[in-house]
Amino acid sequence: MLKMVTQFFIDMVPPTHTAQEKGLSKTKTGKTYAYTKKEVSSDWDRVECRIPERMFDTLTGAVELKTIFAYPRKDRHKEGEPKLTKPDGDNLVKPLKDILTRCGYWKDDAQVFDEEVTRLYSDRPGIYVRIREVEWTSDGNMH
């Protein structure tokens, strides 16, 4: 039985930086450490402030997550053409899942058992998100 589906579109150019891009620096004693670059934080802060308010209780069951990161189409790219350059899809969806957890869409992003990430070029840049909670029946089937 289908429990809940929600979807939304964030009208913005998707982030081009991910948490995988660490800066390196040294302390006064010469010890090297990694830090998150400012552009990474600001990219994802812009996403977080555009996440719509939940219209349902926090999800507690298994969740399917579908995301489309649509980047601005340039003259050499066709509408819907796959984006084959960085950032990688898995590095894009990690911070988005963290944001959705903080916003209370689900208790823990470990509940996302099935995820699909698409990166493409579009005349309408943005991030499309579809969240679907599913239920398992007693015969072991998903609905």
Side-chain angles (χ1 to χ4, degrees):
M1 178 175 162
L2 182 64
K3 291 180 90 174
M4 193 286 311
V5 176
T6 190
Q7 56 189 8
F8 53 87
F9 181 77
I10 303 169
D11 191 11
M12 65 176 282
V13 175
T16 55
H17 298 76
T18 67
Q20 306 314 91
E21 300 174 42
K22 299 284 185 187
L24 293 176
S25 191
K26 290 191 178 207
T27 65
K28 291 179 183 177
T29 61
K31 183 178 176 184
T32 302
Y33 66 95
Y35 64 92
T36 302
K37 294 181 177 180
K38 287 181 186 177
E39 55 268 14
V40 173
S41 299
S42 64
D43 272 3
W44 290 101
D45 288 346
R46 289 184 312 113
V47 172
E48 187 161 1
C49 73
R50 289 172 170 82
I51 297 287
E53 185 178 337
R54 276 181 302 111
M55 304 307 271
F56 53 87
D57 292 335
T58 298
L59 303 178
T60 58
V63 175
E64 292 176 343
L65 176 64
K66 162 73 176 165
T67 54
I68 300 173
F69 292 87
Y71 287 87
R73 190 177 72 80
K74 299 177 178 143
D75 291 339
R76 66 181 185 272
H77 299 292
K78 294 182 170 79
E79 175 71 24
E81 180 181 334
K83 182 179 187 321
L84 304 177
T85 57
K86 292 188 181 236
D88 299 346
D90 57 335
N91 293 331
L92 285 168
V93 80
K94 286 176 197 174
L96 180 62
K97 289 185 339 189
D98 291 341
I99 290 169
L100 292 169
T101 301
R102 281 195 301 274
C103 292
Y105 277 77
W106 47 63
K107 286 186 176 191
D108 189 313
D109 58 18
Q111 293 168 243
V112 179
F113 80 100
D114 185 16
E115 64 184 48
E116 182 180 343
V117 182
T118 302
R119 297 171 302 128
L120 52 78
Y121 292 102
S122 177
D123 290 327
R124 185 165 184 218
I127 304 169
Y128 167 78
V129 177
R130 186 185 75 212
I131 299 166
R132 180 177 164 227
E133 186 178 35
V134 295
E135 186 175 337
W136 294 93
T137 61
S138 59
D139 61 2
N141 292 316
M142 178 181 69
H143 291 280

